[in-house]
Amino acid sequence: MSMQKQETTQSWSGLGVGTDRKSFLAAVSAQLPDFEAERAAEAVFCGLSELLSDGLMRQLREQLPEDLRGMLDACPRHQREGGKVDRDDFYLQVANHLNAEPENVRLVLHGVFAALRAQLTEQEAGKVEGQLPRWLQGTWAAAKLGIDRPS
């Protein structure tokens, strides 16, 4: 029996195997039809950069498709201050970045998190959850399961 050459497949398996920017943004758009997917992802990634360590942000970047990695680079709108970000400040920052109402931020987070989680290995997703503040961990976990989608 000969060994078959394994071909690289493009899938959103949650095993760190992504497709490309277009597919990622389509996954975000499917979750958030009322928002521009690219702006929603940028707003959430900018917010995450305030909450997660530089090392974990680099690891996340490495798991994204090459043409999507730039979205995780330093946000030009906000300077990372390194201080503790509270819930209200975080939600307001994401809302302002997206020009959305603060009450819509949880929906946006859920949609982008769902697409991002599908891109990451379970190990990386666990690292992210471990660094998120308690008030955001539930939204991150719910995005994996496709439950608790805010309306």
Side-chain angles (χ1 to χ4, degrees):
M1 186 180 263
S2 66
M3 297 213 22
Q4 291 181 323
K5 183 178 175 184
Q6 210 172 18
E7 292 183 33
T8 304
T9 60
Q10 295 187 358
S11 69
W12 290 93
S13 63
L15 300 175
V17 180
T19 54
D20 56 18
R21 181 185 190 101
K22 183 178 177 182
S23 297
F24 177 83
L25 293 175
V28 172
S29 186
Q31 292 280 325
L32 303 170
D34 295 334
F35 293 91
E36 183 185 332
E38 188 164 342
R39 288 190 66 206
E42 285 175 352
V44 172
F45 290 162
C46 180
L48 281 178
S49 72
E50 293 289 318
L51 299 174
L52 303 177
S53 70
D54 290 338
L56 185 52
M57 288 300 290
R58 275 192 302 277
Q59 290 174 1
L60 289 178
R61 190 177 190 281
E62 290 171 10
Q63 288 204 12
L64 292 175
E66 253 183 74
D67 60 351
L68 190 60
R69 292 177 181 175
M71 291 182 84
L72 279 178
D73 290 342
C75 178
R77 289 187 177 191
H78 304 100
Q79 292 288 5
R80 187 170 181 167
E81 297 174 15
K84 187 173 181 178
V85 178
D86 71 13
R87 179 184 179 147
D88 293 337
D89 288 341
F90 176 80
Y91 276 68
L92 189 59
Q93 177 184 330
V94 174
N96 287 340
H97 193 116
L98 189 56
N99 292 326
E101 296 297 322
E103 58 267 15
N104 293 328
V105 169
R106 189 160 174 261
L107 173 66
V108 171
L109 290 170
H110 189 279
V112 175
F113 283 178
L116 181 59
R117 283 195 68 116
Q119 176 63 42
L120 304 176
T121 63
E122 282 301 314
Q123 181 180 4
E124 289 301 313
K127 288 179 187 178
V128 170
E129 186 170 353
Q131 283 193 19
L132 289 175
R134 260 198 149 90
W135 47 263
L136 195 53
Q137 287 176 347
T139 303
W140 178 256
K144 173 187 178 186
L145 304 173
I147 59 169
D148 193 30
R149 185 169 183 240
S151 52

